Amino acid sequence: MRTVLVTGPGGAGRTTVAAATALAAARRGCRTLLLSADVIPGFPDATEPTEVTEGLRFARIDSGEHFRSELLDLQDRASTVLDLLGGNRLDSDELTELPGSDRLALLHTLRRAVDGDWSRDGHELLVVDLPPLRDALAVLALPEQLRRYLRRLLPPERQAARALRPMLAQLAGVPMPAQWLYDAAARRDAELAAVQALIEDRTTTVRLVVEPGPAAEDALRAARTGLALYGLRVDTLAVNRVLPRHSPDPWFAALAAQQEKCIDRWYEEWAPAVPLREVRHLGREPQGLGDLGEISGLDGLLADDGPDAGPAARPAGRAEDPWWIERPGPADSHDGVLTWCLPLPGAVKESLQLVRRGDELFLTVGPFRRIVQLESGLRRCTVSGAALTDGVLRVRFTPDPGLWPRTS
């Protein structure tokens, strides 16, 4: 199954483009599932996959319902402890969704689509309408981050002491909740691992939707760096609501000229590595399948999508690590410096921070941050320097003679 993650600056029309993408794929005979947190005109308002038209199903992500069900489930699992503490149970009617729950609901829905009850429907293409750009990048980074927190807070190897818990429970005089806590952590880790695998899969790509203008240029510049930091690939830059370039009206013509200059710069910065698709303005807000079909058909939007799309439409994604290691000498040399190369287009030295802590590398680029587990060879080295040149961060690792094996 191929996955297309659609995002862009707020108000750029990402939901419309996501729906047009899904409709176009379905009309080419590709079984498609579209996920969105928004209500789409002409689509059923259903939280379970429901048929929209032949080959296309849609499900709305209900973050409020997910929050209530998860909290009530946790309350049931911790009922023994809550009763000992004299806690009062919460009812479903009094629960109000908390900030951030929409991100967890999105991850849960992705897991159902790729490794849960929805995956049995045999979809060939999954189109996901993500939140606005900055929030979308945070959501895509969340599975990796949460799994790291779980490993640090509840190390799996500590479960070896579970045989002692009955005795500890008798000594303390209260039931020990450690086992259900570990079990819950293991379930969450498995769910997060499935979503992380989806995000990192070679057939998963990001589709950026932008409306040409100065604000979009700034957003794209920052997003390009964040996408590279997280190892994500952009397959299409969908330039939405493009105005006709020739108009006798001076005010209208000035807006079109501003858009044209912006689009020309994007062609220089993004193409040919990332194809641009111009989606013309309909002169109205798209409503229903007719308008979506007009967007995807007349503008040729994503005409080469689908599970059997060729290499041009299906970038390598993360099949090959976007980061690489340069070895100036023999691989088994203990005195040769290793250079770890990380492409970070758009990054500037002033916004870059790099810290080595144990077997991890902490990378901060502007508002984006990622903690990377070092490969086994680099763990036996010390960081001897770093430089940002031509959009590529090169981190130099010097082998530690005490840890690097020598050859005789």
Side-chain angles (χ1 to χ4, degrees), residues 15 22 44 48 74 79 120 143 174 184-185 202 245 250 263 292 298 312 322 325 341 345 347 361 407:
T15 300
E48 295 289 322
L74 176 62
S79 59
R120 293 188 290 270
V174 296
R202 67 177 299 273
R245 286 181 167 80
I263 294 172
L292 294 177
L298 294 181
I325 298 176
C341 302
L361 199 64
T407 57

Side-chain angles (χ1 to χ4, degrees), residues 276-347:
L276 270 70
R277 299 291 179 89
E278 298 184 30
V279 183
R280 67 176 179 82
H281 204 302
L282 294 181
R284 61 186 183 277
E285 286 297 319
Q287 298 286 332
L289 298 178
D291 286 346
L292 294 177
E294 185 176 352
I295 290 173
S296 60
L298 294 181
D299 296 277
L301 181 64
L302 316 176
D304 47 9
D305 253 342
D308 300 320
R314 293 176 64 179
R318 295 177 63 156
E320 297 179 1
D321 195 339
W323 305 342
W324 67 93
I325 298 176
E326 294 177 351
R327 301 176 184 270
D332 58 354
S333 173
H334 72 277
D335 55 356
V337 174
L338 304 175
T339 304
W340 195 22
C341 302
L342 294 76
L344 295 174

Side-chain angles (χ1 to χ4, degrees), residues 128-202:
V128 186
D129 174 26
L130 292 177
L133 196 49
R134 183 67 64 85
D135 289 340
L137 288 173
V139 170
L140 296 178
L142 199 53
E144 183 181 62
Q145 294 170 346
L146 291 178
R147 296 188 70 200
R148 178 179 179 273
Y149 295 157
L150 286 174
R151 289 193 298 269
R152 291 292 297 272
L153 296 173
L154 295 171
E157 58 272 15
R158 294 294 179 88
Q159 294 192 65
R162 63 179 178 270
L164 299 176
R165 290 178 192 139
M167 181 176 61
L168 294 174
Q170 291 180 356
L171 293 175
V174 296
M176 300 298 288
Q179 187 56 49
W180 71 261
L181 188 60
Y182 275 106
D183 291 343
R187 286 195 300 272
R188 292 304 181 204
D189 183 72
E191 293 176 358
L192 291 169
V195 178
Q196 184 179 352
L198 170 71
I199 296 171
E200 296 178 354
D201 190 272
R202 67 177 299 273

Side-chain angles (χ1 to χ4, degrees), residues 4-25:
V4 177
L5 307 171
V6 183
T7 184
R14 67 186 187 284
T15 300
T16 298
V17 171
T21 299
L23 179 61

Side-chain angles (χ1 to χ4, degrees), residues 35-54:
L35 303 178
S36 176
D38 295 331
V39 175
I40 301 177
F43 283 50
D45 185 13
T47 57
E48 295 289 322
T50 304
E51 185 176 84
V52 179
T53 186
E54 184 178 359

